Amino acid sequence: SKMQNIGGSINAQQVPLPIYVRPQATFGPTQGRVSIVCGTKPAFDDKTKPVENVSLEVRLPSRVISADPSATHGMATYDDTGHYVKWVIDKFPGDKTPCLTVQVQLVNNAPKDGGKGADEEGGSEKARKMVSLQELVEIHAQFAVQGAGVSGIKVESLQVRNEKYKPSQGVRYHTRAGRVVVRT
């Protein structure tokens, strides 16, 4: 996808994100665990323009029965109707990196002995593939950085015509997440 500006185009993949999201997910037949570490990248550790209002929506597999989220910083809640955990970090702490851990209980979808069982060749391999293919976790991230522009676009001049009032001088930059998805 491309972002358009007047001077040309910028590939959206070239725009650096001010945060990093590192997920790890392990799932067994009846339980699993999702761990996510989220922090600011060193280039964006600016104290005058901090990354704020970070919201991560962790979309869990559909076979999740229940989830118990716990975060070292911020607030995490589980929505059992939508099968997702929402983790909100208003401001990043200066001393440690926030971490979210979600313990999940799952519906057992391993094949029964009536089908191709573990005794037959490839049976356990098929069960493992069935579990791993359905265990994708998507993380939708949103954030804001007041007073900073990460796209590299700069305003050199601006003319306001046909207005009776005198506009104030200055430009304010604001960065917010468009659509950022991290997959495990």
Side-chain angles (χ1 to χ4, degrees), residues 50-55 73-75 87-93 144:
V51 180
E52 300 174 327
N53 302 325
V54 176
S55 173
H73 189 78
M75 193 167 101
W87 183 23
V88 177
I89 305 168
D90 290 332
K91 293 183 189 253
F92 282 99

Side-chain angles (χ1 to χ4, degrees), residues 45-118:
D45 277 342
D46 188 357
K47 301 295 180 216
T48 60
K49 298 173 187 163
V51 180
E52 300 174 327
N53 302 325
V54 176
S55 173
L56 299 180
E57 188 177 291
V58 183
R59 297 188 182 175
L60 300 170
S62 59
R63 70 183 192 109
V64 170
I65 300 169
S66 66
D68 182 23
S70 65
T72 59
H73 189 78
M75 193 167 101
T77 55
Y78 173 60
D79 181 337
D80 57 349
T81 330
H83 289 289
Y84 68 88
V85 172
K86 185 158 186 147
W87 183 23
V88 177
I89 305 168
D90 290 332
K91 293 183 189 253
F92 282 99
D95 55 344
K96 60 183 177 181
T97 305
C99 180
L100 171 71
T101 304
V102 183
Q103 298 288 346
V104 295
Q105 297 299 317
L106 307 164
V107 173
N108 189 354
N109 70 349
K112 304 287 182 221
D113 289 337
K116 188 170 186 174

